Amino acid sequence: MTPSSSIAAPGATPAPEEHHDHHPNYLVDGTTIKSWLLTVDHKRIGLMFLFWVLLFFLVGGIFALLIRVELLTPGPTIMDAMTYNRTFTLHGLVMIFLFMIPAIPAVFGNFMLPLMLGAKDVAFPRLNLLSLYIYLAGAVLALWGMLNGGLDTGWTFYTPYSAHTTTTVAPVLFGAFIIGFSSIVTGINFIVTCHTMRAPGITWFKMPLFVWAIYATSAIQVLATPVIGLLLVLVTVENLFGFGMFDPARGGDPVLFQHLFWFYSHPAVYIMVLPSFGVMSEVVATYSRKNIFGYRAVAYSSLGIAFVGFFAWGHHMFVSGQSTFAGGLFGVLTMIVGVFTAIKVFNWVGTVYKGAVEFKTPFAYFCGFLFFTVFGGMTGIALGTVSLDVAWHDTYFVVAHFHFIMVGATIMAFLAALHYWFPKMFGRTYHEGWGLVAAALIILGFNATFIPQFLLGNNGMPRRYYEYPERFQALNVASTAGATLLAFGFIIIAMYLTYALFYGKASGKNPWRSKGYEWLSESPPPTHNFVGPQPEFPEEPHFYVDPKKAEVPNAV
């Protein structure tokens, strides 16, 4: 079927006829369902990941709203205790394993990495498609287990409870185990792509900072994910067959489970956050119209976070009975991770300083991201201090910290990336005014949801509790009101981006006038990314002004 006779996919931007006939963009180069389901084009795979992670984000968000409605009153509100336990378990599982971990690497890493390296695709295109179907297979199995018996262990699956609960544990654990293979395959693919597929002129220190972030994230995925995979298999076997790996009555050790779980799950924090850092490095340079401040420092700090993150897992276990020396050591290592994050924040602020700032929607999310990262990071440093953590452990203070640094930062970066690269992916523009309104609602709603939870935790309200004393009700009502505001912000985004997908104005090749390598291609890109031979990249990434020849203009 020729492009002229095919039906354009939603969001496709007509190019000039003679260009369109010879180099159709990836959206219209095959419009059948089969052409999408069997594609090996990294861009189409990225879009399919985008569809599924948004669907799972919707599911996880609905569970979150149900939790907040239940907590409006001190006693039962809309569900019983077991349903509540299952609801917050499903919320955590869906949001972490099916949304936050794959959101930026699987969607924007897939779409943008080859474009930023001047490559026609990733190193292993068929493995790339396989990673999508592995992810979906694991998701289907996990959701089937959730719907057929449910799971009430919390997303951490702590033993010995997960080994003895009467709820359905095995399908969910095995589903998470399968999803882990998707992360491993994706990580290997991205690492090999960075090593072997760079265009002439792109040396290691000419790679965009988003690529550095994805590279560091991929290393964590490949090294840490097998640990959680094997751990989930062990818990599944113990649950089904009564093995005693983690059961003290059979000579097992439940604290061993915590060590193995957090050895993966703490680096998994950076699987979610490191790609967010990469997105923000791209956004801040583009909208400040200024070279990134301290390029090498930002690149090295990504590797530093990935490395040190493997040695800080014990700060989740200060009250588990580990030695005072171990607690102090893990606390110090936590502070070192904070140093690497502070380097990035300093360099982003340095990039904005005296830049010609354009306050577009992605930059609004950068501002929200900066606040959540600094505020959430400082509370993380506090929780990494043994004496403070003993008081706050397993209270709503930890819940609020986790959502600030993990959910808030990841969602800010995901939405920034979605708006920043929307013209690149679909060739269309969205309504900037509505974009800023939604960004304001989401940032305000997020603060209104979780700042009361910091106060609840500081006053002693434990996490995961179905009922609570009446003195905590006012703050819980405030938190639920904030969650409602947050939901309205997401509804607005869904409405104007859906409209833009079908009716938005053509964006042109590079509407942001970005110097990012990915914008050297057409928008939306042709099937093989670039027309003609592999391009060369003589300039440095994020190159806006030559500091030796020109001064940065004053901020506007």
Side-chain angles (χ1 to χ4, degrees), residues 464-515:
R464 305 188 184 97
Y465 271 41
Y466 173 64
E467 297 183 6
Y468 56 84
E470 289 188 7
R471 62 191 177 93
F472 294 137
Q473 185 175 10
L475 288 171
N476 273 295
V477 170
S479 183
T480 301
T484 306
L485 188 64
L486 193 59
F488 276 116
F490 286 118
I491 291 170
I492 291 172
I493 291 176
M495 292 174 63
Y496 71 72
L497 285 187
T498 302
Y499 180 87
L501 195 63
F502 291 94
Y503 306 109
K505 295 180 181 178
S507 64
K509 182 177 180 180
N510 185 0
W512 310 127
R513 297 176 295 119
S514 172
K515 298 293 185 178

Short mmCIF file of all heavy atoms in Angstrom, two decimals, residues 464-515:
data_model
loop_
_atom_site.label_atom_id
_atom_site.label_comp_id
_atom_site.label_asym_id
_atom_site.label_seq_id
_atom_site.Cartn_x
_atom_site.Cartn_y
_atom_site.Cartn_z
N ARG A 464 -0.28 2.26 55.99
CA ARG A 464 -1.03 1.02 55.71
C ARG A 464 -2.21 0.77 56.66
O ARG A 464 -2.83 -0.27 56.57
CB ARG A 464 -0.11 -0.22 55.74
CG ARG A 464 1.10 -0.16 54.81
CD ARG A 464 1.81 -1.51 54.78
NE ARG A 464 3.03 -1.46 53.97
CZ ARG A 464 4.24 -1.29 54.47
NH1 ARG A 464 4.40 -1.15 55.78
NH2 ARG A 464 5.29 -1.26 53.67
N TYR A 465 -2.51 1.70 57.55
CA TYR A 465 -3.58 1.47 58.52
C TYR A 465 -4.94 1.78 57.91
O TYR A 465 -5.12 2.80 57.23
CB TYR A 465 -3.37 2.31 59.79
CG TYR A 465 -2.53 1.61 60.84
CD1 TYR A 465 -1.40 0.86 60.48
CD2 TYR A 465 -2.86 1.67 62.18
CE1 TYR A 465 -0.63 0.22 61.44
CE2 TYR A 465 -2.10 1.03 63.15
CZ TYR A 465 -0.98 0.30 62.76
OH TYR A 465 -0.23 -0.34 63.72
N TYR A 466 -5.90 0.91 58.19
CA TYR A 466 -7.27 1.06 57.68
C TYR A 466 -8.07 2.05 58.51
O TYR A 466 -8.87 2.82 57.97
CB TYR A 466 -7.93 -0.33 57.69
CG TYR A 466 -9.38 -0.36 57.36
CD1 TYR A 466 -9.84 0.02 56.09
CD2 TYR A 466 -10.32 -0.82 58.29
CE1 TYR A 466 -11.18 -0.04 55.77
CE2 TYR A 466 -11.67 -0.89 57.97
CZ TYR A 466 -12.09 -0.49 56.71
OH TYR A 466 -13.42 -0.56 56.38
N GLU A 467 -7.88 2.05 59.82
CA GLU A 467 -8.56 2.98 60.71
C GLU A 467 -7.52 3.83 61.44
O GLU A 467 -6.37 3.42 61.59
CB GLU A 467 -9.43 2.23 61.72
CG GLU A 467 -10.55 1.43 61.07
CD GLU A 467 -11.45 0.76 62.11
OE1 GLU A 467 -11.24 1.01 63.31
OE2 GLU A 467 -12.33 -0.01 61.70
N TYR A 468 -7.94 5.00 61.90
CA TYR A 468 -7.01 5.89 62.58
C TYR A 468 -7.77 6.75 63.59
O TYR A 468 -9.00 6.90 63.49
CB TYR A 468 -6.28 6.78 61.57
CG TYR A 468 -7.19 7.60 60.67
CD1 TYR A 468 -7.71 8.82 61.10
CD2 TYR A 468 -7.53 7.16 59.39
CE1 TYR A 468 -8.53 9.58 60.30
CE2 TYR A 468 -8.35 7.91 58.57
CZ TYR A 468 -8.85 9.12 59.02
OH TYR A 468 -9.68 9.87 58.23
N PRO A 469 -7.08 7.33 64.58
CA PRO A 469 -7.74 8.20 65.56
C PRO A 469 -8.33 9.44 64.89
O PRO A 469 -7.83 9.92 63.86
CB PRO A 469 -6.61 8.58 66.52
CG PRO A 469 -5.59 7.52 66.35
CD PRO A 469 -5.66 7.10 64.92
N GLU A 470 -9.39 9.98 65.48
CA GLU A 470 -10.11 11.12 64.88
C GLU A 470 -9.22 12.35 64.73
O GLU A 470 -9.47 13.19 63.85
CB GLU A 470 -11.34 11.46 65.72
CG GLU A 470 -12.45 10.42 65.61
CD GLU A 470 -13.72 10.88 66.30
OE1 GLU A 470 -13.76 12.06 66.75
OE2 GLU A 470 -14.66 10.07 66.41
N ARG A 471 -8.19 12.46 65.55
CA ARG A 471 -7.35 13.67 65.47
C ARG A 471 -6.58 13.76 64.15
O ARG A 471 -6.06 14.82 63.81
CB ARG A 471 -6.36 13.71 66.64
CG ARG A 471 -5.37 12.56 66.70
CD ARG A 471 -4.62 12.54 68.04
NE ARG A 471 -3.70 11.41 68.15
CZ ARG A 471 -2.42 11.47 67.82
NH1 ARG A 471 -1.91 12.62 67.37
NH2 ARG A 471 -1.64 10.41 67.96
N PHE A 472 -6.52 12.67 63.39
CA PHE A 472 -5.82 12.68 62.10
C PHE A 472 -6.76 12.98 60.93
O PHE A 472 -6.31 13.06 59.79
CB PHE A 472 -5.14 11.34 61.85
CG PHE A 472 -4.02 11.02 62.79
CD1 PHE A 472 -3.89 9.74 63.32
CD2 PHE A 472 -3.07 11.98 63.13
CE1 PHE A 472 -2.85 9.42 64.18
CE2 PHE A 472 -2.04 11.67 64.00
CZ PHE A 472 -1.92 10.40 64.53
N GLN A 473 -8.07 13.15 61.19
CA GLN A 473 -9.01 13.22 60.08
C GLN A 473 -8.83 14.48 59.23
O GLN A 473 -8.90 14.42 57.99
CB GLN A 473 -10.46 13.15 60.59
CG GLN A 473 -11.47 13.11 59.43
CD GLN A 473 -12.89 12.91 59.89
OE1 GLN A 473 -13.18 12.98 61.09
NE2 GLN A 473 -13.81 12.68 58.95
N ALA A 474 -8.62 15.62 59.85
CA ALA A 474 -8.52 16.87 59.09
C ALA A 474 -7.41 16.80 58.04
O ALA A 474 -7.59 17.20 56.88
CB ALA A 474 -8.29 18.04 60.04
N LEU A 475 -6.25 16.28 58.43
CA LEU A 475 -5.14 16.18 57.47
C LEU A 475 -5.43 15.14 56.39
O LEU A 475 -5.02 15.31 55.23
CB LEU A 475 -3.85 15.83 58.22
CG LEU A 475 -3.26 16.96 59.07
CD1 LEU A 475 -2.09 16.46 59.93
CD2 LEU A 475 -2.78 18.11 58.18
N ASN A 476 -6.14 14.07 56.75
CA ASN A 476 -6.51 13.09 55.72
C ASN A 476 -7.50 13.67 54.73
O ASN A 476 -7.42 13.40 53.52
CB ASN A 476 -7.09 11.83 56.38
CG ASN A 476 -6.02 10.82 56.75
OD1 ASN A 476 -5.35 10.27 55.88
ND2 ASN A 476 -5.85 10.58 58.04
N VAL A 477 -8.44 14.47 55.20
CA VAL A 477 -9.38 15.14 54.30
C VAL A 477 -8.63 16.08 53.37
O VAL A 477 -8.90 16.14 52.16
CB VAL A 477 -10.46 15.89 55.11
CG1 VAL A 477 -11.29 16.79 54.19
CG2 VAL A 477 -11.36 14.91 55.84
N ALA A 478 -7.66 16.83 53.91
CA ALA A 478 -6.86 17.74 53.08
C ALA A 478 -6.09 16.96 52.01
O ALA A 478 -6.00 17.40 50.85
CB ALA A 478 -5.89 18.53 53.97
N SER A 479 -5.54 15.81 52.39
CA SER A 479 -4.80 14.99 51.44
C SER A 479 -5.72 14.48 50.32
O SER A 479 -5.34 14.49 49.14
CB SER A 479 -4.14 13.82 52.17
OG SER A 479 -3.37 13.04 51.28
N THR A 480 -6.92 14.07 50.66
CA THR A 480 -7.87 13.60 49.65
C THR A 480 -8.30 14.73 48.73
O THR A 480 -8.46 14.54 47.51
CB THR A 480 -9.10 12.96 50.33
OG1 THR A 480 -8.66 11.87 51.15
CG2 THR A 480 -10.09 12.46 49.31
N ALA A 481 -8.47 15.93 49.27
CA ALA A 481 -8.81 17.09 48.43
C ALA A 481 -7.69 17.37 47.44
O ALA A 481 -7.93 17.67 46.26
CB ALA A 481 -9.07 18.32 49.32
N GLY A 482 -6.45 17.27 47.90
CA GLY A 482 -5.31 17.45 47.00
C GLY A 482 -5.28 16.41 45.90
O GLY A 482 -4.98 16.73 44.74
N ALA A 483 -5.60 15.15 46.24
CA ALA A 483 -5.62 14.09 45.23
C ALA A 483 -6.69 14.36 44.18
O ALA A 483 -6.51 14.06 42.99
CB ALA A 483 -5.85 12.74 45.91
N THR A 484 -7.81 14.93 44.59
CA THR A 484 -8.88 15.28 43.65
C THR A 484 -8.40 16.36 42.68
O THR A 484 -8.65 16.29 41.46
CB THR A 484 -10.12 15.76 44.41
OG1 THR A 484 -10.50 14.78 45.38
CG2 THR A 484 -11.28 16.02 43.46
N LEU A 485 -7.73 17.38 43.22
CA LEU A 485 -7.17 18.43 42.36
C LEU A 485 -6.17 17.84 41.37
O LEU A 485 -6.15 18.20 40.18
CB LEU A 485 -6.49 19.48 43.25
CG LEU A 485 -5.99 20.75 42.57
CD1 LEU A 485 -7.14 21.55 41.99
CD2 LEU A 485 -5.22 21.61 43.57
N LEU A 486 -5.36 16.92 41.84
CA LEU A 486 -4.38 16.24 41.00
C LEU A 486 -5.07 15.50 39.85
O LEU A 486 -4.64 15.56 38.69
CB LEU A 486 -3.57 15.27 41.86
CG LEU A 486 -2.28 14.65 41.33
CD1 LEU A 486 -1.28 15.71 40.97
CD2 LEU A 486 -1.71 13.71 42.39
N ALA A 487 -6.16 14.82 40.16
CA ALA A 487 -6.90 14.07 39.14
C ALA A 487 -7.45 15.00 38.06
O ALA A 487 -7.40 14.68 36.86
CB ALA A 487 -8.04 13.29 39.79
N PHE A 488 -7.96 16.18 38.45
CA PHE A 488 -8.47 17.13 37.47
C PHE A 488 -7.36 17.58 36.52
O PHE A 488 -7.58 17.75 35.31
CB PHE A 488 -9.09 18.34 38.17
CG PHE A 488 -10.51 18.13 38.59
CD1 PHE A 488 -10.86 18.15 39.93
CD2 PHE A 488 -11.50 17.91 37.64
CE1 PHE A 488 -12.17 17.94 40.33
CE2 PHE A 488 -12.82 17.69 38.04
CZ PHE A 488 -13.16 17.72 39.38
N GLY A 489 -6.14 17.76 37.04
CA GLY A 489 -5.02 18.14 36.19
C GLY A 489 -4.75 17.08 35.13
O GLY A 489 -4.52 17.41 33.94
N PHE A 490 -4.77 15.81 35.50
CA PHE A 490 -4.53 14.74 34.53
C PHE A 490 -5.65 14.64 33.51
O PHE A 490 -5.41 14.34 32.34
CB PHE A 490 -4.34 13.41 35.26
CG PHE A 490 -3.02 13.29 35.96
CD1 PHE A 490 -2.96 13.13 37.34
CD2 PHE A 490 -1.83 13.35 35.26
CE1 PHE A 490 -1.75 13.03 38.00
CE2 PHE A 490 -0.61 13.25 35.91
CZ PHE A 490 -0.57 13.08 37.28
N ILE A 491 -6.88 14.89 33.94
CA ILE A 491 -8.01 14.86 33.00
C ILE A 491 -7.84 15.93 31.93
O ILE A 491 -8.07 15.70 30.73
CB ILE A 491 -9.34 15.02 33.75
CG1 ILE A 491 -9.63 13.79 34.60
CG2 ILE A 491 -10.49 15.28 32.78
CD1 ILE A 491 -10.80 13.94 35.56
N ILE A 492 -7.41 17.12 32.35
CA ILE A 492 -7.19 18.21 31.39
C ILE A 492 -6.11 17.83 30.38
O ILE A 492 -6.25 18.05 29.16
CB ILE A 492 -6.83 19.51 32.13
CG1 ILE A 492 -8.03 20.03 32.91
CG2 ILE A 492 -6.33 20.58 31.15
CD1 ILE A 492 -7.72 21.20 33.82
N ILE A 493 -5.02 17.23 30.87
CA ILE A 493 -3.94 16.81 29.97
C ILE A 493 -4.46 15.80 28.95
O ILE A 493 -4.18 15.90 27.74
CB ILE A 493 -2.77 16.20 30.76
CG1 ILE A 493 -2.07 17.28 31.57
CG2 ILE A 493 -1.76 15.53 29.82
CD1 ILE A 493 -0.96 16.77 32.45
N ALA A 494 -5.22 14.82 29.42
CA ALA A 494 -5.76 13.80 28.51
C ALA A 494 -6.62 14.45 27.43
O ALA A 494 -6.57 14.04 26.25
CB ALA A 494 -6.56 12.78 29.30
N MET A 495 -7.37 15.47 27.78
CA MET A 495 -8.28 16.10 26.83
C MET A 495 -7.52 16.89 25.77
O MET A 495 -7.74 16.70 24.57
CB MET A 495 -9.27 17.00 27.58
CG MET A 495 -10.25 16.24 28.46
SD MET A 495 -11.30 17.32 29.48
CE MET A 495 -12.21 18.20 28.22
N TYR A 496 -6.58 17.76 26.17
CA TYR A 496 -5.96 18.60 25.15
C TYR A 496 -4.92 17.84 24.33
O TYR A 496 -4.69 18.17 23.15
CB TYR A 496 -5.40 19.91 25.72
CG TYR A 496 -4.18 19.83 26.60
CD1 TYR A 496 -2.93 19.55 26.09
CD2 TYR A 496 -4.29 20.10 27.97
CE1 TYR A 496 -1.80 19.51 26.91
CE2 TYR A 496 -3.18 20.06 28.79
CZ TYR A 496 -1.94 19.77 28.25
OH TYR A 496 -0.82 19.74 29.06
N LEU A 497 -4.28 16.83 24.90
CA LEU A 497 -3.33 16.05 24.10
C LEU A 497 -4.07 15.14 23.11
O LEU A 497 -3.60 14.94 21.98
CB LEU A 497 -2.41 15.22 24.99
CG LEU A 497 -1.31 15.98 25.73
CD1 LEU A 497 -0.37 15.01 26.44
CD2 LEU A 497 -0.51 16.87 24.79
N THR A 498 -5.22 14.60 23.51
CA THR A 498 -6.02 13.81 22.57
C THR A 498 -6.51 14.68 21.43
O THR A 498 -6.48 14.29 20.25
CB THR A 498 -7.21 13.16 23.29
OG1 THR A 498 -6.72 12.33 24.35
CG2 THR A 498 -8.03 12.31 22.32
N TYR A 499 -6.96 15.88 21.75
CA TYR A 499 -7.39 16.82 20.70
C TYR A 499 -6.21 17.16 19.78
O TYR A 499 -6.36 17.16 18.54
CB TYR A 499 -7.93 18.10 21.35
CG TYR A 499 -8.39 19.12 20.34
CD1 TYR A 499 -9.69 19.09 19.83
CD2 TYR A 499 -7.52 20.12 19.90
CE1 TYR A 499 -10.10 20.03 18.89
CE2 TYR A 499 -7.93 21.07 18.96
CZ TYR A 499 -9.22 21.01 18.46
OH TYR A 499 -9.64 21.93 17.53
N ALA A 500 -5.05 17.43 20.36
CA ALA A 500 -3.88 17.78 19.55
C ALA A 500 -3.45 16.63 18.65
O ALA A 500 -2.97 16.85 17.52
CB ALA A 500 -2.71 18.18 20.46
N LEU A 501 -3.63 15.40 19.11
CA LEU A 501 -3.24 14.23 18.33
C LEU A 501 -3.98 14.18 17.01
O LEU A 501 -3.43 13.79 15.98
CB LEU A 501 -3.52 12.97 19.15
CG LEU A 501 -2.87 11.67 18.70
CD1 LEU A 501 -1.36 11.76 18.79
CD2 LEU A 501 -3.38 10.52 19.56
N PHE A 502 -5.24 14.62 17.02
CA PHE A 502 -6.05 14.55 15.80
C PHE A 502 -6.16 15.90 15.08
O PHE A 502 -6.23 15.93 13.85
CB PHE A 502 -7.46 14.06 16.15
CG PHE A 502 -7.51 12.62 16.58
CD1 PHE A 502 -7.44 12.28 17.92
CD2 PHE A 502 -7.60 11.62 15.64
CE1 PHE A 502 -7.48 10.96 18.32
CE2 PHE A 502 -7.64 10.28 16.02
CZ PHE A 502 -7.58 9.94 17.36
N TYR A 503 -6.19 16.99 15.84
CA TYR A 503 -6.50 18.28 15.23
C TYR A 503 -5.43 19.36 15.50
O TYR A 503 -5.61 20.51 15.11
CB TYR A 503 -7.85 18.80 15.75
CG TYR A 503 -8.97 17.82 15.57
CD1 TYR A 503 -9.53 17.17 16.67
CD2 TYR A 503 -9.47 17.53 14.30
CE1 TYR A 503 -10.56 16.25 16.51
CE2 TYR A 503 -10.51 16.61 14.12
CZ TYR A 503 -11.05 15.97 15.23
OH TYR A 503 -12.06 15.07 15.06
N GLY A 504 -4.34 19.00 16.16
CA GLY A 504 -3.32 19.99 16.46
C GLY A 504 -2.64 20.53 15.21
O GLY A 504 -2.57 19.85 14.18
N LYS A 505 -2.13 21.73 15.30
CA LYS A 505 -1.43 22.33 14.17
C LYS A 505 -0.11 21.60 13.92
O LYS A 505 0.51 21.07 14.84
CB LYS A 505 -1.14 23.81 14.46
CG LYS A 505 -2.39 24.67 14.57
CD LYS A 505 -2.02 26.12 14.85
CE LYS A 505 -3.28 26.98 14.99
NZ LYS A 505 -2.93 28.39 15.31
N ALA A 506 0.31 21.59 12.66
CA ALA A 506 1.60 20.97 12.32
C ALA A 506 2.72 21.71 13.05
O ALA A 506 2.75 22.95 13.09
CB ALA A 506 1.82 21.02 10.81
N SER A 507 3.62 20.97 13.64
CA SER A 507 4.64 21.58 14.49
C SER A 507 5.84 22.08 13.72
O SER A 507 6.58 22.95 14.19
CB SER A 507 5.12 20.55 15.53
OG SER A 507 5.75 19.46 14.87
N GLY A 508 6.09 21.52 12.54
CA GLY A 508 7.36 21.79 11.88
C GLY A 508 8.44 20.88 12.44
O GLY A 508 8.23 20.12 13.39
N LYS A 509 9.60 20.98 11.86
CA LYS A 509 10.68 20.07 12.21
C LYS A 509 11.17 20.24 13.64
O LYS A 509 11.41 19.28 14.36
CB LYS A 509 11.84 20.26 11.23
CG LYS A 509 13.04 19.34 11.45
CD LYS A 509 14.09 19.57 10.38
CE LYS A 509 15.29 18.65 10.59
NZ LYS A 509 16.33 18.87 9.55
N ASN A 510 11.32 21.50 14.09
CA ASN A 510 11.93 21.75 15.39
C ASN A 510 11.27 22.97 16.03
O ASN A 510 11.83 24.07 16.04
CB ASN A 510 13.44 21.97 15.23
CG ASN A 510 14.17 22.12 16.56
OD1 ASN A 510 13.58 22.06 17.62
ND2 ASN A 510 15.47 22.32 16.49
N PRO A 511 10.06 22.80 16.60
CA PRO A 511 9.33 23.97 17.10
C PRO A 511 9.99 24.65 18.29
O PRO A 511 9.76 25.84 18.53
CB PRO A 511 7.97 23.38 17.51
CG PRO A 511 8.25 21.93 17.79
CD PRO A 511 9.32 21.54 16.81
N TRP A 512 10.83 23.93 19.05
CA TRP A 512 11.47 24.52 20.22
C TRP A 512 12.82 25.16 19.89
O TRP A 512 13.47 25.70 20.77
CB TRP A 512 11.70 23.46 21.30
CG TRP A 512 10.51 22.62 21.66
CD1 TRP A 512 10.44 21.26 21.69
CD2 TRP A 512 9.22 23.07 22.07
NE1 TRP A 512 9.20 20.83 22.07
CE2 TRP A 512 8.43 21.92 22.32
CE3 TRP A 512 8.64 24.33 22.25
CZ2 TRP A 512 7.10 22.00 22.73
CZ3 TRP A 512 7.31 24.40 22.66
CH2 TRP A 512 6.57 23.26 22.90
N ARG A 513 13.25 25.05 18.64
CA ARG A 513 14.59 25.52 18.22
C ARG A 513 15.68 24.88 19.09
O ARG A 513 16.66 25.51 19.46
CB ARG A 513 14.67 27.05 18.29
CG ARG A 513 13.72 27.75 17.34
CD ARG A 513 13.75 29.26 17.48
NE ARG A 513 13.25 29.69 18.78
CZ ARG A 513 13.98 30.36 19.66
NH1 ARG A 513 15.23 30.69 19.39
NH2 ARG A 513 13.46 30.73 20.82
N SER A 514 15.47 23.62 19.40
CA SER A 514 16.40 22.89 20.25
C SER A 514 17.66 22.51 19.48
O SER A 514 17.62 22.30 18.27
CB SER A 514 15.73 21.63 20.80
OG SER A 514 16.67 20.81 21.47
N LYS A 515 18.76 22.39 20.19
CA LYS A 515 20.01 21.91 19.61
C LYS A 515 20.22 20.41 19.86
O LYS A 515 21.28 19.88 19.56
CB LYS A 515 21.20 22.69 20.20
CG LYS A 515 21.18 24.18 19.91
CD LYS A 515 21.38 24.47 18.43
CE LYS A 515 21.48 25.98 18.19
NZ LYS A 515 21.73 26.29 16.77
#
